[in-house]
Amino acid sequence: MHHAILLLAPKGTGREVLGQQLAQTVLCNNCDSEPCGVCHSCKLFAAGTHPDFHLIQPEQEGKQIGVDAVRQCNRWAMETSHLAGQRVIMIDCADSMGEAGANAILKTLEEPPSGCQFILTAQSLDSLLPTIVSRCNKWRIETPDEQFVKQWVEKQLMQTIKIESIRLNACAPLATQQFIEQGMDIRHNHLNEAFVAFLQPPHIGIYDVVSLCISEGIVSMKWLSYFLVDCIKFQQGVTGYLTHSESIDKIQSVAQAVPSTILIQQVRKINELHRKLEKHSGLNIELLIVEWLTGFIGGNNRVS
Ligand SMILES: [Zn+2]
């Protein structure tokens, strides 16, 4: 196996479980294509106390992996094995390493000491620095098809679910399940309703949209972006694959009320805003969203 494996899949596909399975396989004393589950190494791994397995990940969902944590990987890489075997260093959500963190690990990733295996997970190639990507062997994990995800999640939750919940979560089964369990599907719907109402003249209710965005955090910007992309598609006559396939009436009303030039400009801006807020936590979300929303109001009628 290449010394640095990069597992590519959206969050909520179980990619970290696969990464751990791979790590356990590398460390297993009876290593074959799967960990044996009975050797000393497998038992330590199952107990979460294997001294040659090191894992780093963001401390909180959506936060960056700090540069100090990345430097710790470099130190682990230099250590000798406690069990006279391989060492595995796993970086879960490697796309959460900031630029400084990513640069700190480059040299080790390129030429790791012998017996040292790296396993990285990430959303996509685009979310990583090219210098990291070029040093890894890339394994792309396919997500299951929509109907399969629908059946699987419905079985877990014992309720029917909407296709849009699946599409908003990039067909990732566990992410879709969590989306519904945490009531995000309901809040997503509330946000869309407030947003659609605001987009109709005379554009009232701006603070309903803002307060829903603030309470949901930056994921709400992704939702609004997907929604506007659907409206643009609708205007272009593409109705076959809309994320919000169960909300065509909402899409249609916005597609008719807002000119395509404004929609395109606003999608670009909300995507920029999303990236900015992901990078810098100290920004004033409220102010930025109000400013963005006023971009829908033409002429001199801007909300002050
Ligand atoms: Zn084993």
Side-chain angles (χ1 to χ4, degrees), residues 14 27 35 41 44 51 59 61 79-80 82-83 85 89 95 108 115 123-124 131 162 164 184 198 208 217 226 286 300:
L27 295 168
S41 177
L44 287 172
E59 277 176 27
E61 171 99 34
E79 283 176 3
T80 48
H82 290 83
L83 299 181
I89 299 172
D95 31 15
T108 313
Q123 185 89 4
S124 68
T131 43
K162 288 183 175 176
E164 61 190 39
M184 289 168 97
F198 163 73
D208 294 339
Y226 287 161
E286 181 176 352
N300 299 319

Side-chain angles (χ1 to χ4, degrees), residues 49-205:
T49 53
H50 200 297
D52 292 325
F53 175 66
H54 306 287
L55 169 70
I56 62 163
Q57 56 197 156
E59 277 176 27
Q60 250 184 311
E61 171 99 34
K63 295 271 178 224
Q64 276 198 353
I65 296 176
V67 66
D68 289 339
V70 179
R71 289 201 182 111
Q72 180 60 46
C73 293
N74 288 333
R75 286 191 285 274
W76 284 326
M78 292 309 191
E79 283 176 3
T80 48
S81 163
H82 290 83
L83 299 181
Q86 298 269 320
R87 283 136 35 246
V88 178
I89 299 172
M90 182 165 158
I91 306 179
D92 190 24
C93 304
D95 31 15
S96 301
M97 288 189 290
E99 203 170 330
N103 287 332
I105 196 80
L106 282 184
K107 209 171 168 330
T108 313
L109 265 189
E110 188 158 54
E111 285 176 64
S114 71
C116 181
Q117 173 72 50
F118 273 92
I119 299 171
L120 281 67
T121 74
Q123 185 89 4
S124 68
L125 291 179
D126 301 337
S127 58
L128 285 162
L129 286 181
T131 43
I132 294 279
V133 174
S134 66
R135 285 163 172 80
C136 296
N137 186 218
K138 293 159 275 289
W139 294 12
R140 204 180 291 275
I141 305 161
E142 283 207 31
T143 44
D145 80 56
E146 226 164 66
Q147 282 308 319
F148 180 86
V149 176
K150 185 167 164 42
Q151 281 169 14
W152 186 84
V153 176
E154 285 181 345
K155 201 172 153 195
Q156 307 304 310
L157 299 176
M158 291 191 287
Q159 67 177 81
T160 49
I161 64 161
K162 288 183 175 176
I163 289 289
E164 61 190 39
S165 296
I166 300 168
R167 293 185 178 172
L168 281 165
N169 289 288
C171 259
L174 296 167
T176 306
Q177 181 181 349
Q178 202 181 35
F179 181 78
I180 294 161
E181 277 176 340
Q182 295 181 350
M184 289 168 97
D185 56 333
I186 295 164
R187 299 200 298 279
H188 164 260
N189 197 39
H190 287 164
L191 176 61
N192 274 356
E193 277 170 6
F195 187 47
V196 172
F198 163 73
L199 291 178
Q200 309 294 330
H203 305 294
I204 48 172

Side-chain angles (χ1 to χ4, degrees), residues 24 27-31 34-43:
Q24 192 181 349
L27 295 168
C28 173
N29 298 335
N30 305 314
C31 176
E34 277 180 62
C36 72
V38 293
C39 71
H40 181 51
S41 177
C42 281
K43 282 185 178 152

